[in-house]
Amino acid sequence: MKKRNKSGKKAVKKAVKKVKTAARTTTKRVRSVVKKVKKLPVLKRVRKVVSRVAQVVESPRDKTEETKYYPRPTPYLPPRQWEREELPDRYGDTRIVIMARDPYWVFSYWEVTDEKRVQIEREAGASWNDLRKVLRVYDVTGKDFNGFNANRYFDIDLHPSAVSWYINVGVADRSWCVDLGVITPSGKFILIARSNIVLTPRDSASDVIDEEWMSIEEEFLKLYGLWGGFAGASPGKARIKKIMKERLQQELSSGGLSSFVRPPNYKGRGFWMVVNTELIVYGATEPDATVTVQGRPIRLNPDGTFSLRFALPDGEQVIPVKGVSADKEEERVITPIVRKSTK
Amino acid sequence: MEKGYLCIVLHSHLPYVRHPEYEDFLEEDWLYEAITETYIPLINVYNGLVRDGVDFRITMSITPSLCSMLADPVLQDRYVKHLDTLIELANKEVERTRWEPAFNRLALMYQSQFIETRRTFMERYRKNILSAFKEFQDMGKLEIITCNATHGFFPLMEVCPKSVRAQVQVGANSYERFFGRRPRGTWLAECGYFPGADAFLKEAGMRYFFTDTHGILHASPRPKYGVYAPIYCRSGVGAFARDFESSKQVWSAIEGYPGDFNYREFYRDIGFDLDFDYIKPYIHKDGIRINTGIKYYRITGRTDHKEAYNPDWARERAASHAGNFMFNREKQVEFLFDVMKKKPIIVAPYDAELYGHWWYEGPMFLDFLFRKLHYDQKTVKPITPSEYLERNPRNQVSTPTMSSWGYKGYCEHWLDGSNDWIYRHLHKASERMSELANSYPNASGLTRRALNQALRELLLAQSSDWAFIMKTGTVVQYAVKRTKDHILRFTRIYDDIKANRVDEGWLSDIEYKDNVFPEIDYRVHA
């Protein structure tokens, strides 16, 4: 990826140099070339820009030189993925995408290629870092948006390093389109990329009444209100809206399994301490002997040892351990007595 | 004659977590816990109802990723191993608690429960509990519906309609493979709907889906019957909405049934409570304490001091809560019938894992509820959405609003500072997948395998669970790793196919690791 960027940058630099050395009058032609090749893959695109720009601004002799200095493009081999553990920062696109998060917020993310930056710099006559980056947010509700017919728009100044932004559009049930652009020192807006269009969801009942299914307001409010638990009363539209908002704040799904929802929190807040006691009773006898503890048979390890572990409550525990030899001829009883109390 | 219907929906889902490359993988326990604590207890309830002639209806989504795990031999065998370890622990517990009768009784309860679970799993269903659910479906008691293939969250995939289609198609095809027929309806992951998503369901032959309450209350034109009748989207697919009231009674942390002081306390598990050396063999190999499923306390009160769980008291509460739930539905249905002059349908959806896993007594509650509905009243009749639509083919046409059942009702849980970085990668991968599918419409051999695997990787990356976990902040690293792994695997396949240098050895390896949806056809993403 790095290599690719490097060679890309080099090519870009070269192109810039050439463009700069060319007469200013050719800028327009250069621009149109850039536009035409915009859709090609990155490196190819850069090369194409370079060669086309060369064609535009240079003499035939330079053109020959061009072919000399630039090797034929080799098929692009991306780096093997196993060399990478991280996702790429950029994909070599100039684009902005928006997503409606809720009735009032739209999320946007974008990417601008180096070539596009160069182009914008040239167009704006200022360096990238000196340009104000903005999101121009258009309300395009009910429009077949063409860039000029929005109902209204507003600008958001971006932090220079931002690659995403949450836009507070503030109004539900409207269509939005966002331009990523720069504002030149002279105040001109230059478009970098235009987003898709999203519709923010409605936050209240629709005012559109279906003729065929028309219901009277009061009847609807009764049904609308029922989910809030106030059946029977007609609570009024404003109150319903408020309750709906409150209700949406509540979490009424578990999100599935606890293990990925929340960690155990039984310890509560602040300092805490727990003390418990357990008693281990262990011993050994002939491997083929039969052993009972408090009258219940236990299983011996192959070597005749045994170990038992008991939660030890307060009080006295009398623990007769009885071993009987395999031939039932011999028997032994050992009885530990344990008293536990807690202060 | 009934005056209305009750449609209980249980949504069961787990992200596809299967790591044959590790001997012990913490996150695989999610599946094992869910089988022991929810799926088998539910199967037991269904079996009991059938045995006793109780006519019941439950709609249950079993997501394609969950189906795939339940049918996977590696995971099935690991589950048996897991269960054996659990039984061994329960045996030790029976001994250890000998001098504490209140706990000893519970240890014995778990011991017999686990042994019974093992018998059900191994002997009755031969390790594949999907066959149990299929049986109930074939009897007409259970309606199993599908879901987005990997639980992709649609509202945030609106810019990638091809991926929405793939999620729907792969989900439907997977369902067909498991249940031997096409799905009639679907559960949209997290109830995530955007206007137009229904068209993809239509294309896959599905007749209905569910939204949260406001999805339909705020539909346009305004739905005459609110959430108490489905609407038809323009595509003709029906949309049913959740009834808030019945949800709240079960879900609410404050007023909900599961918070009753007599119910089992979820957060006191011996995996955390007992001496490290003793519990060590039963927690994670690296010494990370986890839930074992053996829990001895009841909620007791709003206090850190917990008392021993009493199964008899809990059972009584479950019965009375079921009675209360039914009573409320009867009143609700009577009122609605009066207002609507038509039989309402009350849709009550829950995460299946709430029942049993979170709310230990949940399956018992359902058992009581369906018995009471069957014997004790005539007002409310349990129904499935398909049955409802058959009886009520005429419904209002309207378009639901974009919505989900997540926090605040839209996309916030899956789109915030903790997880918004994933979308540029997901969207790009989706675009590339379509590019591949269109460039190679008739691939065969190795290229075809690579293309199919590319789609598997893309779908796995799209699981809403990863974003969910990143936001929730529990096992974030794992969720981040999964997102990156799948995107990186996808990207490598993309690059390799384009450079015509697919590495068969590597491909075989990821086919083995990410083996979901064997029947997948990459062309659904064209």
Side-chain angles (χ1 to χ4, degrees), chain B residues 23 30 40 99 108 147 168 188 197 209 211 215 250 281-282 299 319 327 332 338 386 388 423 438 483 504 520 522:
Chain B
E23 189 202 333
W30 298 343
I40 288 188
W99 301 332
L108 285 164
C147 185
V168 170
L188 296 178
F209 65 96
T211 76
V250 177
Y282 308 100
I299 294 173
F327 172 80
Q332 194 180 10
D338 213 39
S386 291
Y388 180 92
Y423 293 101
N438 290 315
T483 303
E504 188 175 2
I520 209 167
Y522 69 95

Side-chain angles (χ1 to χ4, degrees), chain A residues 93 95 166 202 227 258 309, chain B residues 218 244 275 420 428 431:
Chain A
D93 299 321
R95 68 155 56 156
Y166 287 91
R202 215 188 318 280
W227 54 260
S258 57
R309 183 168 181 143
Chain B
H218 296 167
F244 179 71
D275 176 48
D420 56 23
K428 186 67 191 179
E431 180 190 307

Side-chain angles (χ1 to χ4, degrees), chain A residues 81-82 86 91 93 95 109 163 166 202 206 208 224 227 248 252 258 261 266 278 294 309 311, chain B residues 96 99 217-218 220 222 244 251 267 275 357-358 408 420 424-425 427-428 431 472 474 484 492:
Chain A
Q81 288 302 322
W82 64 76
E86 283 309 308
Y91 283 103
D93 299 321
R95 68 155 56 156
Y109 70 82
V163 290
Y166 287 91
R202 215 188 318 280
S206 170
V208 181
Y224 191 101
W227 54 260
L248 289 174
L252 285 183
S258 57
V261 178
Y266 66 85
E278 289 188 342
Q294 287 183 321
R309 183 168 181 143
Chain B
R96 192 187 66 83
W99 301 332
L217 275 186
H218 296 167
S220 187
R222 184 188 286 186
F244 179 71
W251 276 132
Y267 290 109
D275 176 48
H357 174 74
W358 277 102
K408 291 189 186 172
D420 56 23
R424 67 175 70 229
H425 302 292
H427 293 168
K428 186 67 191 179
E431 180 190 307
T472 312
T474 42
K484 287 185 178 172
R492 176 165 170 200

Side-chain angles (χ1 to χ4, degrees), chain B residues 174-452:
Chain B
S174 158
Y175 179 99
E176 194 170 358
R177 187 164 63 86
F178 290 120
F179 299 109
R181 65 170 217 209
R182 297 291 290 176
R184 291 181 187 153
T186 194
W187 176 265
L188 296 178
E190 309 292 359
C191 281
Y193 171 83
F194 66 86
D198 46 287
F200 298 103
L201 305 182
K202 169 88 179 171
E203 206 178 70
M206 288 187 255
R207 293 184 54 202
Y208 64 87
F209 65 96
F210 299 89
T211 76
D212 198 357
T213 314
H214 55 299
I216 285 185
L217 275 186
H218 296 167
S220 187
R222 184 188 286 186
K224 177 172 180 181
Y225 299 117
V227 297
Y228 301 108
I231 54 172
Y232 283 135
C233 300
R234 301 266 155 218
S235 60
V237 177
F240 290 84
R242 156 154 93 162
D243 167 54
F244 179 71
E245 192 55 32
S246 51
S247 283
K248 197 175 63 173
Q249 281 189 312
V250 177
W251 276 132
S252 171
I254 308 139
E255 315 147 64
Y257 302 137
D260 190 282
F261 295 163
N262 287 303
Y263 285 147
R264 194 184 74 167
E265 169 64 57
F266 179 83
Y267 290 109
R268 289 294 296 272
D269 190 290
I270 64 167
F272 292 89
D273 277 0
L274 292 189
D275 176 48
F276 184 74
D277 287 335
Y278 172 78
I279 205 71
K280 205 174 152 202
Y282 308 100
I283 57 176
H284 190 255
K285 294 263 180 296
D286 298 338
I288 304 165
R289 286 180 178 268
I290 53 169
N291 285 325
T292 60
I294 299 181
K295 303 171 202 281
Y296 289 137
Y297 297 93
R298 60 191 164 92
I299 294 173
T300 315
R302 300 190 192 289
T303 158
D304 283 350
H305 170 74
K306 301 293 176 191
E307 281 164 18
Y309 179 64
N310 183 325
D312 301 326
W313 297 353
R315 190 179 170 80
E316 264 172 44
R317 295 308 292 155
S320 93
H321 283 153
N324 177 269
F325 186 86
M326 182 180 77
F327 172 80
N328 281 304
R329 297 293 79 71
E330 284 178 83
K331 294 289 150 239
Q332 194 180 10
V333 159
E334 275 164 10
F335 172 79
L336 289 167
F337 183 75
D338 213 39
V339 175
M340 291 167 64
K341 315 277 184 278
K342 170 185 165 88
K343 292 176 193 172
I345 177 167
I346 293 168
V347 178
Y350 309 95
D351 277 327
E353 293 78 14
L354 170 74
Y355 291 86
H357 174 74
W358 277 102
W359 179 19
Y360 184 62
E361 297 78 8
M364 205 190 288
F365 165 87
L366 287 176
D367 193 23
F368 283 124
L369 176 63
F370 283 104
R371 286 170 196 272
K372 284 177 190 291
L373 286 168
H374 183 72
Y375 292 116
D376 297 354
Q377 56 87 45
K378 292 274 167 267
T379 313
V380 186
K381 197 176 160 69
I383 200 168
T384 65
S386 291
E387 285 172 328
Y388 180 92
L389 289 173
E390 271 160 35
R391 291 179 202 180
N392 302 270
R394 196 176 128 82
N395 291 291
Q396 188 178 0
V397 176
S398 178
T399 305
T401 188
M402 183 262 263
S403 51
S404 83
W405 76 345
Y407 178 60
K408 291 189 186 172
Y410 300 94
C411 305
E412 195 167 328
H413 202 110
W414 299 272
L415 181 63
D416 96 329
S418 63
N419 53 29
D420 56 23
W421 58 273
I422 67 176
Y423 293 101
R424 67 175 70 229
H425 302 292
L426 293 176
H427 293 168
K428 186 67 191 179
S430 170
E431 180 190 307
R432 286 176 161 176
M433 187 67 228
S434 292
E435 181 198 331
L436 289 178
N438 290 315
S439 311
Y440 302 89
N442 299 304
S444 59
L446 189 59
T447 313
R448 185 184 179 82
R449 272 173 57 192
L451 286 161
N452 286 338

